[in-house]
């Protein structure tokens, strides 16, 4: 049947990646992180990678067509073994959501992680000590946060209209996974 697509949204350092790991461990979905795909392209040393690196270092959005194409290719590459996709870090603006629906299909759920700005900054500054990421520094973190509030939070309102938004429970430790109503959807086998 139609392949299920879940979207994971949230600010920089909100815990998208961490919650995705837990969902994958429990439900076996294919986790595709837009940031990870982009960093792999940067690491490849390609000309395109060099352009992407400059943009990411400033905490700005890379071109829509580039990131959408990379996600689409990654989905196709896993299509025959995947139970469904958990896409992390895309869409980051409403236009990306619209393009995704045109070119790939409608998501089943938009999951989002809610965290205070100060929590996100604190986590990213800490992650920056070991991540080696060019964007985990104070100046770029600020840009990423501003961009999140300006461009990405409206994505949640966009999907609210189709009633598919589910908030991942705020939790102090990392064990809490997700609200039961999400579980009921996720346990659907495609
Ligand atoms: N959907 C996207 N559209 C445009 N740029 C993106 C997208 N996803 C990731 N990027 C770029 O990659 C950077 C890192 O993304 P990501 O790893 O998802 O950040 P985090 O997990 O820290 O929120 C972003 O700051 C942005 O520059
Ligand atoms: N519930 C939680 N409590 C404490 N730290 C957390 C947490 N969830 C994530 N973290 C840490 C792990 C990372 O070093 C940092 C960012 O987490 P992440 O999952 O990489 O977020 P994102 O992918 O949204 O940037 O915060
Ligand atoms: Mg992440």
């Amino acid at each position: 049947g139609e392949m299920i697509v879940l979207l994971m949204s949230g600010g920089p350092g909100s815990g998208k990646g961490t919650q995705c790991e837990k969902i994958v461990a429990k439900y076996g979905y294919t986790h595709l992180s837009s940031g990870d795909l982009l960093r792999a392209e940067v690491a490849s040393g390609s000309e395109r990678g060099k352009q992407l690196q400059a943009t990411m270092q400033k905490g700005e959005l890379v071109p829509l067509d580039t990131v959408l194409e990379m996600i689409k290719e990654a989905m196709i590459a896993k299509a025959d073994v995947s139970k469904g996709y958990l896409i992390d870090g895309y869409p980051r603006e409403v236009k990306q959501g619209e393009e995704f629906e045109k070119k790939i299909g409608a998501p089943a759920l938009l999951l989002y992680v809610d965290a205070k700005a100060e929590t996100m900054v604190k986590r990213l500054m800490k992650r920056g000590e070991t991540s080696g990421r060019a964007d985990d520094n104070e100046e770029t973190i600020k840009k990423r946060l501003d961009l999140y509030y300006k461009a990405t939070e409206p994505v949640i309102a966009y999907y609210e209209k189709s009633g598919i938004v589910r908030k991942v429970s705020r939790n102090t430790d990392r064990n809490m996974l997700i609200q039961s109503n999400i579980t009921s959807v996720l346990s659907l086998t495609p």
Side-chain angles (χ1 to χ4, degrees):
E2 195 52 8
M3 193 62 101
I4 191 168
V5 172
L6 306 176
L7 303 174
M8 174 64 80
S9 187
S14 59
K16 295 185 295 295
T18 302
Q19 293 305 323
C20 284
E21 282 163 22
K22 295 178 186 307
I23 293 173
V24 166
K26 195 170 167 105
Y27 299 101
Y29 288 91
T30 306
H31 177 215
L32 296 175
S33 157
S34 53
D36 291 348
L37 292 170
L38 290 163
R39 281 184 287 275
E41 179 70 24
V42 170
S44 77
S46 68
E47 193 40 49
R48 183 166 80 166
K50 291 192 181 72
Q51 312 288 326
L52 294 172
Q53 217 275 339
T55 305
M56 294 165 74
Q57 196 160 347
K58 290 182 282 185
E60 292 166 2
L61 294 184
V62 305
L64 185 157
D65 296 341
T66 304
V67 62
L68 181 53
E69 191 54 35
M70 290 171 84
I71 289 173
K72 190 172 174 195
E73 283 165 11
M75 290 174 77
I76 291 166
K78 294 277 175 103
D80 50 351
V81 296
S82 177
K83 280 182 61 181
Y85 301 97
L86 177 55
I87 297 175
D88 168 2
Y90 184 107
R92 267 185 152 84
E93 58 181 352
V94 172
K95 192 166 180 312
Q96 290 188 357
E98 293 164 340
E99 279 304 295
F100 187 93
E101 277 142 55
K102 269 189 216 146
K103 302 223 167 94
I104 299 178
L109 283 180
L110 176 91
L111 309 177
Y112 77 96
V113 188
D114 195 11
K116 290 192 184 73
E118 62 187 288
T119 305
M120 294 190 267
V121 172
K122 197 170 73 228
R123 286 177 180 172
L124 291 182
M125 289 304 282
K126 175 117 184 53
R127 185 174 76 182
E129 289 165 18
T130 53
S131 70
R133 279 177 49 164
D135 61 349
D136 278 348
N137 60 75
E138 191 158 5
E139 188 190 347
T140 309
I141 289 168
K142 179 140 181 18
K143 292 272 304 224
R144 289 158 62 196
L145 264 180
D146 290 347
L147 191 140
Y148 170 71
Y149 290 121
K150 217 184 294 139
T152 312
E153 260 200 341
V155 168
I156 297 169
Y158 170 76
Y159 285 109
E160 288 278 9
K161 287 184 288 197
S162 38
I164 63 164
V165 173
R166 299 291 184 277
K167 182 177 175 183
V168 177
S169 344
R170 181 192 296 277
N171 58 78
T172 44
D173 65 59
R174 303 184 194 180
N175 300 321
M176 175 90 78
L177 181 56
I178 49 185
Q179 289 149 354
S180 57
N181 61 335
I182 297 176
T183 311
S184 60
V185 176
L186 292 179
S187 57
L188 281 182
T189 42

